[in-house]
Amino acid sequence: MTDVHVLGIRHHGPGSARSVAEALAILRPDLVLVEGPPELDQVIPLLSDPEMVPPVAGLIYAADEPRLASFYPMAGFSPEWVAIRWALSTGAQVRAIDLPAAHTLGLQLAASAAGPPSSGPSSVDAEGEDSDADGGTSAEGTEPPALPQQPYRPDAIGILAGAAGYSDAERWWEDAVEHRNADPVERFAALTEAIAEIRAVDDRPDHHPDVLENNRREAWMRRLIRAAMRDGHERIAVVCGAYHAPALVPSTFPSVSADNKVLAGLPKAKVAVTWVPWTSGRLSLRSGYGAGVTAPGWYQHLFGHWMARDPEADVATTWLVRVAHALRREDLDASTASIVEASRMATALAAVRGRPSPGLPELDDAAQAVLCDGSPLPLALVHRELTVGHELGNVPESAPTLPLAADLAATQRRLRWKPSAMEEVLTLDLRKPGQLARSVLLHRLVLLGVGWGVQTETGRTTGTFKEVWTLQWQPELAVDLVEASRYGTTVASAAAAYVSEQARDTGSLTELSGLLAGCLLADLPDGIGAVVSVLAERTALQQDVAPLLETIAPLARTCRYGNVRGVDVTGVRKILDTTVVRACVGLPTACAGLDDDTAEAMRRAVDSAQQGLSLLPDLPLDDWHRALAAVAGSDRIHGSVAGRATRLLLDAGLVDGDDVAASLSRRLSIATPAREAAAWLDGLLSGDATLLVYDRRLLEIVDGWVAGVDDEIFDDVLPLLRRTFSAFSRPERREIGEQVSRIGGASPVAGETTLDLAAAGPAIRTMARYLGWEAVA
């Protein structure tokens, strides 16, 4: 007769992991069954590879829909990891027994094909198949459900801990379970009885979606346990979420026909499986992972301390030493004496709170009071660095992988560039070949939608040799690589193929220009050729002037910087020349009859074109300036666009200050409606106050016009004026204000003044007293 022992655990619980290790050492089973999809069986042997370093996650995805995937994370303190590693090290067989992912993903595909359910929540939450930290698989799905789900299965161990007055289930497990004299097998049996009582109070019907999903999983687990018993194994250990434990005890099994009825008619999807690196931050509850834990770094510390079995080591003191080191790395004081004092305070707090030993809450309180001088800010640093941590696991090269992921890994090794779970800011000098190669790789990944790096501002540097990136590797990027693998087997070929597809599908010249610029930065000659051919066709058919104007800047950047990166831009230059000519010819007509919104869009397009044209001096600027002059001189064109055209001509030296002053006087005259005048003024001045600061004539004209606006329409004009002047820098606004205060003031010719010294007397005397000039006061 087969002896089956069910070990109900808390996923990612160090106390559970310790108990599992002790129980397996006593039971010595010849078969270990672990909660998890059976697809993992083909990659479980890889956990014995020395290069496999937790945290890692099993990744199972639908072969035809890679975005539909689930993660099954394991940390070094996860009971499943401990059980599997024990079996592999002792020669015992080990299998996964949960509902196959082929059925789980098949159900999701069927649900998405059927559309959103008419009632009831989805059976899969936004982050995984289980929202509890205890009773279910540690899978994390990446496909969000149609409706949000409230977790059905409670954190059973958390409920027991709460009933005992504990806020931390791991503290309760350590105090109430680990410190008991009973052997670990009896501990698990007692826990199973307690969970059975919790399950007995649930009165939800079997047809409830959550209950149905749970019943399916437990029915499948029972099916595989029965099969293992028939195989003749003498002793079987079942490691599962504590909530499932009562249902997996053979003496409580329902009939085989009842389980078969629950499992009948399940859809099935073709799936693939591999291991991917995971992060400690992704294990934390704050990341949204349903079966996560609040403090993975602390739990790893606990588990390492327990398994070391060093009677001389104190878990609280060793943790506070690590806290002190973290503070010192940030140049914060943390003396040895303060560590001793913090340890004593943590012990005293535990005694006051009725706890047998200090836990993380007591250690945090003591560290904040003693090591952080009562400030929560250094403690937040400790939480990020230690309590959660920045660990990133490693997967051996022998793990199944797609050619695209393998090419990326090979490129990273060639560049000596190891991904990190910690966010870092990287500055690249593109004049150095190695750093240029890193830039190219990041730009290719961006095109593929693999967001390892996000480009940020370079600061005040205006050169083109510098790039700044914010890098952070997330486990979900593995799914992005799987999805992108359909475009090619290498990062370069996949990025080029993806760009070619996007170019064919998009109808926007702006998007095409963006793709062209991305290909340039990513060094994709094949992609550039594909985009250029589509762009030439689209620009020839484009009748709208605004998109043509917005295309000029990216094309000009491609032409200017393409040769720097060794890219042939002859075809791009032909398209650019044609686009500039067509835009210049159509600009005056396109600017006529615009309302406020379309005028704002046209003005942005004109600014964009001006920026692009300034990059290449050999472009036909005469045609551009003639088009701007036609726009600036027309009274039928919206003031925002006409004012901007006037400003661009002034900056180019084609009109002088007298011409601008005359245009300003005419545009701000009584005959011009106030809103139109304000729009023209905004177009002239927006973004740069130089004209008003250095040309008093223009300032006086503007000041006179503002003073003469009727009260009835001033409220309509004010928002536009405030937008115009708020864009100026603070020193510019202050200088304009000082000059306006002098307009109409002292007259050097007549010697007149508008200052009322009698009215200013009290203020003058008060300031004199402040300055200590009592005689004046």
Side-chain angles (χ1 to χ4, degrees):
M1 182 177 179
T2 304
D3 192 9
V4 178
H5 295 271
V6 180
L7 310 181
I9 53 91
R10 185 172 191 258
H11 295 295
H12 310 310
S16 297
R18 177 187 179 185
S19 295
V20 165
E22 294 176 347
L24 293 177
I26 295 174
L27 293 173
R28 307 296 298 181
D30 57 351
L31 174 63
V32 177
L33 302 179
V34 178
E35 181 182 327
E39 288 87 353
L40 290 176
D41 287 349
Q42 55 188 299
V43 294
I44 279 179
L46 290 172
L47 293 188
S48 63
D49 193 307
E51 295 183 7
M52 181 75 78
V53 179
V56 294
L59 168 60
I60 304 179
Y61 57 92
D64 298 329
E65 294 285 343
R67 179 57 57 181
L68 193 61
S70 292
F71 291 102
Y72 298 84
M74 295 184 190
F77 51 83
S78 298
E80 299 91 340
W81 173 273
V82 171
I84 293 173
R85 290 289 293 254
W86 182 91
L88 294 175
S89 64
T90 59
Q93 297 184 36
V94 57
R95 301 174 195 165
I97 60 168
D98 205 347
L99 184 69
H103 292 312
T104 302
L105 298 181
L107 287 168
Q108 295 182 44
L109 287 172
S112 61
S118 58
S119 63
S122 170
S123 61
V124 180
D125 70 11
E127 287 295 332
E129 294 182 15
D130 245 340
S131 289
D132 68 307
D134 169 41
T137 180
S138 54
E140 179 177 355
T142 60
E143 187 75 2
L147 293 174
Q149 174 182 335
Q150 297 298 323
Y152 158 63
R153 287 172 302 278
D155 181 353
I157 294 179
I159 291 177
L160 295 174
Y166 282 74
S167 59
D168 183 356
E170 290 305 316
R171 287 283 310 283
W172 173 82
W173 185 283
E174 168 66 7
D175 296 344
V177 179
E178 299 293 348
H179 289 169
R180 292 183 60 184
N181 294 327
D183 68 48
V185 179
E186 293 181 0
R187 298 178 207 161
F188 281 115
L191 181 65
T192 298
E193 293 180 10
I195 303 300
E197 295 298 325
I198 293 177
R199 293 186 58 150
V201 301
D202 178 47
D203 57 356
R204 298 196 183 190
D206 289 342
H207 59 78
H208 187 281
D210 293 329
V211 179
L212 179 60
E213 186 262 348
N214 184 67
N215 290 341
R216 285 171 178 161
R217 295 178 57 205
E218 292 178 347
W220 193 277
M221 286 190 269
R222 287 191 292 266
R223 172 182 287 184
L224 294 189
I225 292 174
R226 291 189 184 99
M229 296 171 65
R230 289 194 301 270
D231 290 342
H233 293 282
E234 295 182 359
R235 186 169 297 171
I236 299 174
V238 180
V239 180
C240 63
Y243 191 85
H244 298 302
L248 302 185
V249 176
S251 61
T252 65
F253 280 7
S255 65
V256 174
S257 60
D259 281 345
N260 290 339
K261 182 178 179 180
V262 173
L263 299 173
L266 291 179
K268 192 173 184 179
K270 182 180 179 181
V271 300
V273 59
T274 186
W275 291 108
V276 297
W278 203 251
T279 65
S280 57
R282 200 66 182 88
L283 283 168
S284 67
L285 283 176
R286 63 175 177 80
S287 69
Y289 166 47
V293 291
T294 56
W298 163 249
Y299 284 169
Q300 184 63 53
H301 178 79
L302 274 181
F303 183 68
H305 172 79
W306 290 338
M307 298 306 293
R309 303 180 186 278
D310 184 0
E312 300 298 327
D314 177 68
V315 64
T317 302
T318 54
W319 176 258
L320 288 172
V321 169
R322 295 182 61 192
V323 171
H325 286 166
L327 295 174
R328 289 171 186 170
R329 286 193 294 269
E330 298 298 326
D331 297 327
L332 298 175
D333 292 334
S335 66
T336 302
S338 63
I339 297 173
V340 174
E341 185 63 26
S343 179
R344 291 173 178 171
M345 177 175 285
T347 302
L349 285 173
V352 170
R353 296 170 181 176
R355 306 291 169 78
S357 61
L360 186 59
E362 288 75 35
L363 292 172
D364 281 346
D365 291 343
Q368 180 174 337
V370 179
L371 298 177
C372 303
D373 296 326
S375 173
L377 296 180
L379 194 64
L381 167 69
V382 171
H383 182 272
R384 184 176 66 250
E385 298 294 324
L386 294 182
T387 309
V388 175
H390 298 290
E391 284 73 17
L392 174 65
N394 184 69
V395 173
E397 297 181 12
S398 56
T401 184
L402 294 168
L404 178 62
D407 178 70
L408 175 59
T411 304
Q412 290 170 334
R413 289 193 298 271
R414 185 176 69 252
L415 297 176
R416 298 180 180 178
W417 201 7
K418 187 176 181 180
S420 172
M422 184 185 303
E423 183 178 288
E424 58 178 329
V425 177
L426 179 67
T427 301
L428 297 177
D429 186 345
L430 304 185
R431 296 170 295 186
K432 300 178 180 179
Q435 298 194 28
L436 176 60
R438 291 187 174 190
S439 170
V440 168
L441 175 62
L442 288 173
H443 282 292
R444 289 174 177 175
L445 292 176
V446 168
L447 287 174
L448 281 173
V450 181
W452 179 22
V454 177
Q455 193 170 4
T456 58
E457 295 294 332
T458 58
R460 297 183 178 180
T461 301
T462 58
T464 59
F465 62 87
K466 179 181 177 183
E467 286 183 352
V468 179
W469 292 82
T470 300
L471 303 178
Q472 185 176 26
W473 187 264
Q474 296 286 356
E476 291 80 2
L477 298 180
V479 178
D480 296 331
L481 285 172
V482 171
E483 190 173 25
S485 63
R486 65 188 178 94
Y487 293 103
T489 57
T490 66
V491 176
S493 63
Y498 176 80
V499 167
S500 300
E501 180 182 284
Q502 292 298 306
R504 291 191 300 270
D505 293 342
T506 185
S508 168
L509 291 181
T510 303
E511 293 179 8
L512 284 171
S513 301
L515 288 174
L516 185 61
C519 288
L520 171 67
L521 298 173
D523 190 17
L524 296 174
D526 293 340
I528 290 177
V531 176
V532 166
S533 62
V534 176
L535 191 59
E537 177 184 350
R538 301 287 170 79
T539 52
L541 300 176
Q542 180 60 253
Q543 302 298 323
D544 194 354
V545 173
L548 292 174
L549 292 172
E550 293 171 346
T551 305
I552 291 175
L555 292 178
R557 284 194 294 269
T558 303
C559 291
R560 175 162 183 173
Y561 304 122
N563 291 333
V564 177
R565 293 179 177 256
V567 178
D568 183 10
V569 295
T570 304
V572 179
R573 182 54 190 264
K574 293 179 180 179
I575 298 175
L576 176 60
D577 291 339
T578 302
T579 301
V580 171
V581 172
R582 295 186 61 211
C584 292
V585 171
L587 181 61
T589 303
C591 291
L594 301 177
D595 58 20
D596 291 342
D597 293 336
T598 53
E600 184 66 23
M602 180 61 73
R603 187 172 121 182
R604 289 195 300 267
V606 169
D607 284 340
S608 174
Q610 176 65 33
Q611 182 183 21
L613 291 169
S614 64
L615 297 176
L616 298 173
D618 56 337
L619 284 171
L621 295 179
D622 291 341
D623 295 340
W624 174 245
H625 291 147
R626 280 194 292 270
L628 292 178
V631 172
S634 175
D635 293 332
R636 298 183 299 107
I637 292 177
H638 195 283
S640 178
V641 181
R644 199 60 182 167
T646 303
R647 177 59 181 272
L648 295 178
L649 292 173
L650 175 64
D651 292 343
L654 300 179
V655 296
D656 56 25
D658 293 335
D659 295 331
V660 174
S663 298
L664 185 61
S665 298
R666 180 169 57 86
R667 292 282 186 172
L668 302 186
S669 65
I670 298 177
T672 305
R675 288 184 58 83
E676 295 182 13
W680 193 91
L681 182 64
D682 181 60
L684 178 70
L685 302 177
S686 180
D688 190 356
T690 305
L691 289 178
L692 297 182
V693 172
Y694 294 103
D695 195 326
R696 182 156 182 162
R697 293 175 304 165
L698 300 181
L699 183 60
E700 290 178 347
I701 294 173
V702 174
D703 180 64
W705 172 75
V706 173
V709 174
D710 292 339
D711 293 342
E712 296 178 355
I713 61 174
F714 186 77
D715 290 343
D716 295 332
V717 175
L718 182 60
L720 188 57
L721 292 177
R722 293 184 65 178
R723 186 184 70 175
T724 301
F725 285 88
S726 65
F728 301 157
S729 66
R730 180 171 296 181
E732 289 174 337
R733 294 198 302 268
R734 183 170 58 249
E735 178 64 25
I736 292 172
E738 292 175 355
Q739 291 194 30
V740 169
S741 67
R742 293 193 291 269
I743 295 177
S747 174
V749 177
E752 298 177 353
T753 180
T754 59
L755 296 178
D756 189 343
L757 297 179
I764 294 175
R765 287 191 291 273
T766 300
M767 290 303 302
R769 285 196 301 271
Y770 288 158
L771 297 173
W773 297 348
E774 298 297 338
V776 177

